[in-house]
Amino acid sequence: MTHAAVRTLGALILGAALAFPLVVAAQSPAPPTTGPTPGTKVKEGAPKIDAPAVASPPAPAQGSTAVPGWNNPPKSWENSSEKPQYASIPGRETNRLIQASGREWRAFRNGPITKYAGWLIGFTFLAIIAFYLIKGPMKLHGQPTGRLIERFDAVERTSHWAMAISFVLLALSGVVILWGKYIVLPWFGYTGFSWLTIFAKNLHNFLGPLFIFSLVVLFLLFVKDNFLNRVDVEWLKKAGGMLGGPEMPSGRFNGGEKVWFWLSTMILGVLISATGLILDFPNWNQAREVMQYANVFHAVGAVFFICGAMGHAYLGTLGMPGAYGAMRHGYVDEEWAKEHHVLWYEDVKAGRRPEKIVPAGAQPAMGDD
């Protein structure tokens, strides 16, 4: 190509680039004027011309899950054909341009899931507050002895906190993703909502694998002490005495803790982990229906996990003084062990358990914390 041809081609590209905004402006409706053009003198006594009203985006009908504004799919799509069409790009579903199940998923996700999941979380939170106000914390009846018993070692505590912290961040970012347009959008506006949601989505995607890894490690560490037995069945029948009566005897973990262990690791944990991986890695070539079903099951499982974790966190902090210290420092007072987990306490005292006993006034050995 000669130098003159290059100059000619460059001039054509530059001219097209400069003409593009003019073409777009010519095709767009002119903005309504609200007064005289700047620099134009208005004669005295001239009649005042009111500017035409600017049409506002149609508001969604009551009960609709559509987003306010103009960015909703056209009405004509509802009756469009979904038959496979020709596509030059190879792929699993590249020749399927319209998908009715996508609209059904969107309506279900923004409707029943958002509504009833919010009610469930709110009801659980209020129930915990009511239980605390009525029953109060489970305080010790006897005085602390000063003798300490090892409750959790450093590896167990690390795995628990890795899972707990990652889960809290996943829950908060998931709340932004699911309810952000109801909670965040009215406060921060569209720009703030967009930035926060993008951040929450990326945080959610990258923290998911860490949560799965910590969940597997926690399961392997604690499974040996979480098999149900007859003592746990009796504990569950009377709710451990939390609703009235004396506290029921239990081993290292009581019946309620064991039920939550299996529910959180093997049922809800597996559900949200599997569906989360499907959503996190769309390049596995799964169909869009698979992604939509995964999104629904992931949201439902996560909401139940959040509700259960709220109860677990309450009993591990305000509901049972001393429980948080056990997971924070690894040790509990002998009186705490005797009153809340008497069978475990007796096994430790008899030497049938590997946990350490620290005499009163002594400090745990370095590395135990």
Side-chain angles (χ1 to χ4, degrees), residues 83 87 91-92 101 131 142 170 205 259 268 278 312:
K83 295 180 180 179
R92 186 183 181 94
S101 59
F131 185 83
L170 287 169
N205 291 345
V259 169
L268 296 177
I278 293 174
H312 177 70

Side-chain angles (χ1 to χ4, degrees), residues 14-369:
L14 179 61
L18 294 175
F20 180 74
L22 301 177
V23 175
V24 174
Q27 293 179 349
S28 303
T33 57
T34 56
T37 304
T40 304
K41 296 182 179 180
V42 181
K43 296 181 179 180
E44 296 183 2
K48 184 181 293 185
I49 301 176
D50 295 330
V54 180
S56 301
Q62 185 174 4
S64 172
T65 60
V67 178
W70 300 100
N71 59 338
N72 296 301
K75 195 73 175 176
S76 60
W77 282 19
E78 296 182 2
N79 299 319
S80 299
S81 172
E82 294 192 46
K83 295 180 180 179
Q85 307 296 328
Y86 169 76
S88 58
I89 302 175
R92 186 183 181 94
E93 291 185 307
T94 54
N95 64 339
R96 189 177 179 187
L97 305 181
I98 298 176
Q99 182 205 27
S101 59
R103 296 190 295 273
E104 296 170 359
W105 161 80
R106 182 174 181 268
F108 187 68
R109 186 262 191 195
N110 293 340
I113 290 182
T114 303
K115 177 180 178 181
Y116 295 115
W119 285 2
L120 181 60
I121 292 178
F123 174 79
T124 302
F125 181 72
L126 293 176
I128 291 173
I129 293 178
F131 185 83
Y132 177 77
L133 294 176
I134 295 172
K135 300 294 295 184
M138 300 174 64
K139 298 180 180 179
L140 296 179
H141 297 90
Q143 293 297 321
T145 64
R147 293 184 293 273
L148 301 179
I149 297 179
E150 184 184 32
R151 180 75 173 152
F152 303 109
D153 62 31
V155 176
E156 292 172 334
R157 300 199 309 274
T158 301
S159 66
H160 177 273
W161 284 115
M163 191 196 74
I165 294 172
S166 61
F167 173 78
V168 169
L169 294 176
L170 287 169
L172 292 176
S173 56
V175 166
V176 172
I177 295 170
L178 188 58
W179 290 286
K181 71 177 182 180
Y182 306 103
I183 302 174
V184 180
L185 183 58
W187 291 91
F188 293 91
Y190 286 96
T191 302
F193 168 65
S194 174
W195 277 99
L196 183 58
T197 306
I198 292 172
F199 173 77
K201 175 184 177 295
N202 286 291
L203 180 68
H204 205 86
N205 291 345
F206 282 100
L207 276 179
L210 173 61
F211 170 78
I212 296 173
F213 175 77
S214 60
L215 188 69
V216 172
V217 173
L218 183 136
F219 173 81
L220 295 176
L221 289 174
F222 289 102
V223 65
K224 63 182 183 298
D225 293 319
N226 276 280
F227 292 104
L228 290 165
N229 52 43
R230 288 180 296 177
V231 173
D232 300 318
V233 174
E234 294 300 321
W235 192 99
L236 292 170
K237 286 181 179 178
K238 299 183 179 180
M242 290 188 295
L243 302 179
E247 186 168 350
M248 299 295 295
S250 62
R252 189 186 186 196
F253 301 112
N254 59 45
E257 290 172 316
K258 291 182 179 181
V259 169
W260 172 242
F261 173 83
W262 291 105
L263 186 64
S264 61
T265 60
M266 294 303 297
I267 300 178
L268 296 177
V270 171
L271 175 63
I272 63 177
S273 297
T275 54
L277 289 174
I278 293 174
L279 297 171
D280 221 356
F281 297 97
N283 53 334
W284 288 348
N285 202 28
Q286 55 266 40
R288 279 174 285 183
E289 285 89 351
V290 174
M291 300 282 285
Q292 290 154 7
Y293 280 115
N295 180 270
V296 170
F297 285 111
H298 187 78
V300 172
V303 167
F304 280 107
F305 205 127
I306 290 173
C307 293
M310 290 168 63
H312 177 70
Y314 164 74
L315 291 174
T317 52
L318 296 176
M320 184 179 291
Y324 172 77
M327 189 54 71
R328 173 68 179 84
H329 303 289
Y331 288 84
V332 294
D333 189 84
E334 183 182 48
E335 184 65 23
W336 188 96
K338 187 187 301 183
E339 293 192 20
H340 294 312
H341 298 273
V342 62
L343 300 181
W344 170 68
Y345 165 76
E346 292 174 351
D347 286 341
V348 173
K349 294 287 287 185
R352 293 188 292 267
R353 296 280 314 181
E355 288 81 11
K356 306 179 185 68
I357 299 177
V358 181
Q363 294 295 325
M366 295 298 294
D368 291 342
D369 282 342

